[in-house]
Amino acid sequence: MRAGWRRRLPRPSLEALHLRLSRPDTLFWPALLGLLTGLAAGAVIVGFRLVVEGAQALMLPGHGENYEALSAWVRLLLPIGGALLIGLLFWRLARDSPVLGVARVLERMEYHQGHMHARGLVLQFIGAALAIVSGHSVGREGPNIHLGAASGSLIGQRLSLPNSSIRNMVACGTAAGISASFNTPLAGVIFALEVLALEYRPASFIPIILAAVSANAVSVAVFGSAPTLQIPPLALSSLGALAPVLLLGLFVGALSAAYILLVERIAALGKGVGLLRRILIAGALAGLAGALVPEVMGLGYDTLQQLLRQPLAWGFLAVLLLAKLLATSVGVGLGIPGGSIGPALFMGAVAGNLVAVSTVAVTGAEGVDAGFYALLGMGAMMGASLQAPLAALTAIVELTHSPGLVMPAMLAIILAGLTCKELFGKDSLFLTALRANGLDYRAHPVVDLLRRSSVGGVMNTRFVRSGPRLSRGEAERLLADEPEWVIVERDGVPGALMPGKAVASHLARTPEAEQLDLLEIPAERLELAPVHLQATLQEAMDRLQQQGAEALYVQRMTAPGIQRIYGVLTRERIESAYRYTGRRG
């Protein structure tokens, strides 16, 4: 496939694209790639949703999520059967860690410059579809994010784009995943910037905006523009309604901490268990939960609609919350390839409805809108468990088209986030999933600056190449264009870098010399190591450390066995570049 793309794109134009994308100030091409990523991600996500909803429509009576109509025995056995298929799929195809979803996107960004595999996309597509259809308590949002991010990454890799551009395309795919999931393009943009710790600057968010919009357009073209959740406009009725909001924020913050703790503990317990056994245990426990409380099965959007429209019995709410918490924690912790965002929204809605019902029971107040508190609970649970408060707030406003919710939603989300993070000391679910697999993701300002820039945008192109021994005439011709650097080759391989001025100075001092050896004349010489044109400045710094080199030459293979050198890069030039970028940003 890569060869086919390169036949369509002439080599000079492809190289020009690579070099333009390497420049930190370029905007048109990243924007175009963001649009392309959004369209591709939207198509993949629409395909995923059609597969899931088509299978549910064939299997479930009445409507797509009517697991309640199935007998208890079927609800028990269905998740086990799905787990068996998932386990066999992963046992056959998952060569490395089977972590998928948002945690996988973070891991590939942190350790692999955003490079994702087609195999992972296939595993996520089929595995998540099996999990949702068979009634596991997982969401589709995490899989959609993975599918969108992988789509962007694979396009960037097919075009052999700089790694900084591939990282941007992963961010575009992440935004596309949220946008196409909920019909919330702005929340998708904010989620990508917030969760991936990206910089708020035009070069970052314009491509991401285009990706979110284009993915949303693809989804709307197929499924229509109706919101995912049919919710009447809501607003704060009076300042007195803020007291339950405070209670809700504290309650959801503690609930989020319990959710994260359970996922963490279950993942730790399952670490010593084989993959197939672990998945089957998750299936058996999901089946037991579904047999007892069928509302926890699948995405649960039908039950979510009830929670947003009317108060339910507090006993049922308490059982539903406990069952959803346990079923989801087991599924996510033991590696079922589904999302954790949807279940978090579900639990938040249950918590909000429970607070509304409790408020009526304790105070005897009338006119308490259960949907209002359920919606605030959704935002608070999403913000606290994912540590993404702004994305949660934006999602709530976009879902309801109710700007009157902003103030109480801000209060509930921030209070829940502080409770979860500061009182209970819990990081986001995504970081928890990474750490459970021995990985971590830490945003560092300097590293982020280096990752945003490509070596192609910083390298010095004023260089010449020469063997170590040459005549005076050859040296003078070599310096005719006043190059800044001379690459000295040993047996045809770049070995040292020296300033062009040093060679010129030696020629001026020794007018009688007819021959010179560039490795012997008095001059500064830097040991060289290669770096690929795709690399970011962070990879360049890592390369300098690993090779013990003092400078790099930037190269790319232009034909089998032929490497073209595009420029040279010193440590001082890298440091100057990120100092300049940091001040400008």
Side-chain angles (χ1 to χ4, degrees):
M1 183 174 179
R2 181 175 293 187
W5 281 49
R6 289 186 176 183
R7 280 195 293 270
R8 296 185 189 99
L9 284 173
R11 188 171 301 282
S13 64
L14 190 59
E15 288 190 356
L17 173 61
H18 292 166
L19 295 174
R20 285 174 186 165
L21 287 170
S22 297
R23 291 166 46 190
D25 58 343
T26 188
L27 192 55
F28 172 77
W29 287 107
L32 186 61
L33 290 170
L35 182 65
L36 176 63
T37 298
L39 293 173
V44 173
I45 291 166
V46 163
F48 174 73
R49 183 172 167 185
L50 288 173
V51 167
V52 170
E53 293 182 1
Q56 288 178 322
L58 290 173
M59 187 181 70
L60 300 175
H63 61 82
E65 288 199 278
N66 193 18
Y67 290 95
E68 294 88 342
L70 300 175
S71 69
W73 279 109
V74 173
R75 296 199 303 267
L76 173 65
L77 295 175
L78 184 60
I80 298 174
L84 179 60
L85 292 175
I86 293 167
L88 292 173
L89 175 73
F90 273 58
W91 175 74
R92 184 73 178 86
L93 295 179
R95 298 174 192 168
D96 52 3
S97 171
V99 174
L100 297 174
V102 184
R104 184 63 162 178
V105 176
L106 290 173
E107 183 257 336
R108 300 308 293 186
M109 288 284 277
E110 176 70 8
Y111 297 100
H112 303 279
Q113 300 297 336
H115 285 237
M116 302 180 74
H117 301 302
R119 185 179 70 253
L121 186 149
V122 172
L123 280 171
Q124 180 68 93
F125 192 107
I126 300 175
L130 287 171
I132 294 170
V133 171
S134 62
H136 285 266
S137 180
V138 292
R140 71 184 182 203
E141 300 77 18
N144 283 351
I145 290 168
H146 184 120
L147 294 173
S151 299
S153 177
L154 290 171
I155 291 172
Q157 291 176 67
R158 294 299 181 191
L159 291 172
S160 297
L161 298 183
N163 287 341
S164 56
S165 297
I166 292 175
R167 291 173 61 85
N168 288 339
M169 294 175 77
V170 170
C172 290
T174 298
I178 288 290
S179 175
S181 293
F182 292 118
N183 193 13
T184 53
L186 183 56
V189 174
I190 299 300
F191 182 89
L193 294 172
E194 197 168 29
V195 172
L196 299 181
L198 301 179
E199 183 190 29
Y200 286 80
R201 62 189 183 106
S204 294
F205 63 73
I206 287 179
I208 292 174
I209 288 173
L210 289 173
V213 169
S214 55
N216 186 243
V218 173
S219 179
V220 167
V222 177
F223 300 110
S225 59
T228 303
L229 301 173
Q230 302 289 337
I231 306 169
L234 297 170
L236 184 68
S237 57
S238 67
L239 289 178
L242 286 178
V245 172
L246 296 174
L247 175 63
L248 177 63
L250 294 170
F251 178 36
V252 171
L255 180 63
S256 299
Y259 182 25
I260 296 166
L261 178 64
L262 274 173
V263 169
E264 188 177 20
R265 294 289 173 84
I266 291 170
L269 289 173
K271 205 167 184 180
V273 181
L275 174 63
L276 188 56
R277 285 181 59 200
R278 190 168 71 241
I279 296 294
L280 285 174
I281 291 170
L285 293 175
L288 182 61
L292 297 174
V293 188
E295 289 82 2
V296 306
M297 299 184 74
L299 303 176
Y301 284 166
D302 53 343
T303 305
L304 194 55
Q305 292 282 7
Q306 295 181 45
L307 292 165
L308 291 166
R309 290 183 176 277
Q310 60 188 6
L312 303 179
W314 72 267
F316 170 72
L317 291 170
V319 171
L320 181 60
L321 181 58
L322 181 61
K324 190 70 175 179
L325 175 63
L326 293 175
T328 305
S329 300
V330 166
V332 174
L334 293 181
I336 294 295
S340 56
I341 301 175
L345 294 172
F346 186 100
M347 287 185 276
V350 177
N353 199 297
L354 191 57
V355 166
V357 171
S358 301
T359 300
V360 172
V362 172
T363 65
E366 296 182 358
V368 175
D369 191 338
F372 172 77
Y373 292 103
L375 193 63
L376 295 185
M378 289 171 62
M381 189 74 180
M382 177 179 173
S385 61
L386 309 184
Q387 291 297 306
L390 192 55
L393 176 63
T394 310
I396 293 305
V397 174
E398 278 193 294
L399 278 171
T400 62
H401 303 285
S402 301
L405 279 175
V406 170
M407 189 268 280
M410 289 172 67
L411 182 61
I413 291 169
I414 296 304
L415 188 56
L418 288 174
T419 301
C420 181
K421 177 75 173 177
E422 300 300 326
L423 186 59
F424 292 97
K426 293 299 175 186
D427 280 319
S428 75
L429 270 171
F430 308 140
L431 293 183
T432 299
L434 279 177
R435 288 168 185 161
N437 286 271
L439 302 170
D440 204 351
Y441 184 92
R442 297 185 183 278
H444 189 282
V446 172
V447 173
D448 288 342
L449 283 170
L450 293 174
R451 285 173 173 165
R452 284 203 305 266
S453 302
S454 172
V455 294
V458 177
M459 65 185 181
N460 190 327
T461 57
R462 295 186 59 195
F463 71 96
V464 291
R465 301 165 65 179
S466 173
R469 299 179 182 277
L470 66 166
S471 68
R472 186 179 190 88
E474 289 172 333
E476 289 172 348
R477 287 192 295 274
L478 195 71
L479 301 176
D481 292 329
E482 299 182 351
E484 289 189 27
W485 295 101
V486 177
I487 296 177
V488 184
E489 297 183 341
R490 300 164 178 157
D491 299 323
V493 178
L497 185 69
M498 58 189 301
K501 289 181 179 179
V503 181
S505 175
H506 180 76
L507 288 175
R509 289 197 310 268
T510 58
E512 73 288 351
E514 291 300 323
Q515 298 288 328
L516 69 157
D517 188 333
L518 297 181
L519 297 179
E520 296 295 334
I521 66 174
E524 175 189 20
R525 275 177 287 271
L526 306 177
E527 286 295 318
L528 274 174
V531 69
H532 199 279
L533 182 62
Q534 280 186 277
T536 64
L537 292 186
Q538 185 231 341
E539 290 177 282
M541 290 293 279
D542 290 344
R543 187 76 172 161
L544 286 171
Q545 276 191 308
Q546 292 164 4
Q547 297 293 315
E550 299 165 292
L552 301 167
Y553 60 95
V554 181
Q555 66 174 8
R556 186 173 75 88
M557 184 178 291
T558 55
I562 300 175
Q563 296 280 0
R564 176 182 170 185
I565 296 178
Y566 290 82
V568 295
L569 199 57
T570 62
R571 186 183 296 271
E572 290 74 16
R573 194 172 179 92
I574 296 173
E575 292 172 350
S576 297
Y578 77 68
R579 281 197 296 267
Y580 169 74
T581 305
R583 286 197 302 271
R584 189 185 57 185

